Amino acid sequence: DAKTTQPTSMDCAEGRAANLPCNHSTISGNEYVYWYRQIHSQGPQYIIHGLKNNETNEMASLIITEDRKSSTLILPHATLRDTAVYYCIVRATNAGGTSYGKLTFGQGTILTVHP
Amino acid sequence: DVKVTQSSRYLVKRTGEKVFLECVQDMDHENMFWYRQDPGLGLRLIYFSYDVKMKEKGDIPEGYSVSREKKERFSLILESASTNQTSMYLCASSSPGDGYTFGSGTRLTVV
């Protein structure tokens, strides 16, 4: 699976948008980009994933560059409860186009949301 | 609400004991995984399973074994617990195309 690079830490003011970048310059054509977050003392929580189109759900938006070498997770209105470690992961798909296989977690970005 | 349930939140065991960590999911997922998480090392994959009675080694399988007799249950076994196995253990499940759902974790201390 392709390696990802994320900033070690970021700060954000409550109510503002949090934009978390991820570099995955060696991503393959069959690899999805996944985002998870882990709040202290809890298991990681799935946020969103995408292949090449931008995606949005009730938690966040995912913007993937056209060359797919980087992506940005956007939390549109950050709250104190969004303080967590955010992981960007790339994961392969099988011949049928569905993602499969193990997730390899890096160190992630520690996002701190301030009042 | 879909769930992955780990049998214990906190566990203290003695060196040399055989330890069973249980994980149950109610989502009919094919895939199940065991990770451990340590400060500075992040989450590391121990074992995973794509089907009943099937298992594959992850990145750090030494000192561990697993059992998957039923689709919903994936057990992690420490044959002879050692102090370097003190860690947070996380179970997860998924289906193809889906994200992982993680349990709340078991914090194991081996004394």
Side-chain angles (χ1 to χ4, degrees):
Chain A
D1 289 337
K3 182 179 170 59
T4 62
T5 305
Q6 298 177 252
T8 302
S9 63
M10 294 182 64
D11 290 332
C12 178
E14 189 177 20
R16 305 296 291 265
N19 298 296
L20 291 92
C22 180
N23 186 295
H24 31 80
S25 58
T26 59
I27 192 169
S28 302
N30 68 342
E31 289 179 315
Y32 280 82
V33 179
Y34 277 77
W35 283 85
Y36 286 77
R37 73 179 182 183
Q38 187 173 23
I39 296 168
H40 183 62
S41 296
Q42 297 181 21
Q45 177 191 23
Y46 165 80
I47 301 173
I48 199 167
H49 74 283
L51 185 62
K52 52 186 176 182
N53 297 320
N54 298 338
E55 303 287 344
T56 296
N57 63 20
E58 64 279 3
M59 290 182 68
S61 294
L62 174 61
I63 308 299
I64 303 174
T65 58
E66 193 168 340
D67 63 6
R68 302 208 324 120
K69 293 182 185 296
S70 65
S71 62
T72 301
L73 179 75
I74 301 171
L75 308 178
H77 305 287
T79 70
L80 299 179
R81 286 176 293 183
D82 291 322
T83 292
V85 180
Y86 287 78
Y87 298 98
C88 169
I89 302 163
V90 292
R91 183 186 184 197
T93 58
N94 60 18
T98 53
S99 62
Y100 78 107
K102 60 183 183 179
L103 290 176
T104 300
F105 287 79
Q107 295 302 312
T109 296
I110 301 170
L111 174 68
T112 304
V113 181
H114 297 285
Chain B
D1 201 12
V2 295
K3 278 192 178 168
V4 174
T5 304
Q6 296 184 228
S7 54
S8 303
R9 189 80 173 97
Y10 298 94
L11 211 52
V12 179
K13 295 292 182 180
R14 294 193 179 280
T15 301
E17 275 193 78
K18 189 169 186 175
V19 181
F20 293 86
L21 301 183
E22 305 288 346
C23 176
V24 177
Q25 51 99 359
D26 64 1
M27 297 164 282
D28 201 34
H29 281 170
E30 292 85 359
N31 309 326
M32 296 189 75
F33 307 82
W34 275 106
Y35 287 83
R36 64 177 282 179
Q37 185 170 28
D38 302 286
L41 297 176
L43 283 95
R44 295 178 291 167
L45 181 65
I46 305 171
Y47 266 97
F48 58 105
S49 169
Y50 288 141
D51 202 352
V52 175
K53 296 190 185 295
M54 176 272 176
K55 61 186 178 185
E56 287 197 29
K57 293 179 180 179
D59 300 317
I60 51 162
E62 295 79 19
Y64 303 95
S65 62
V66 289
S67 172
R68 191 156 181 210
E69 296 296 318
K70 293 185 178 181
K71 190 175 185 180
E72 67 270 19
R73 186 179 297 270
F74 192 36
S75 302
L76 180 69
I77 303 156
L78 287 66
E79 295 290 342
S80 177
S82 63
T83 54
N84 64 12
Q85 292 178 309
T86 291
S87 185
M88 169 69 88
Y89 289 87
L90 290 155
C91 176
S93 72
S94 76
S95 276
D98 288 346
Y100 283 24
T101 300
F102 279 86
S104 299
T106 296
R107 188 166 293 281
L108 172 67
T109 303
V110 182
V111 298

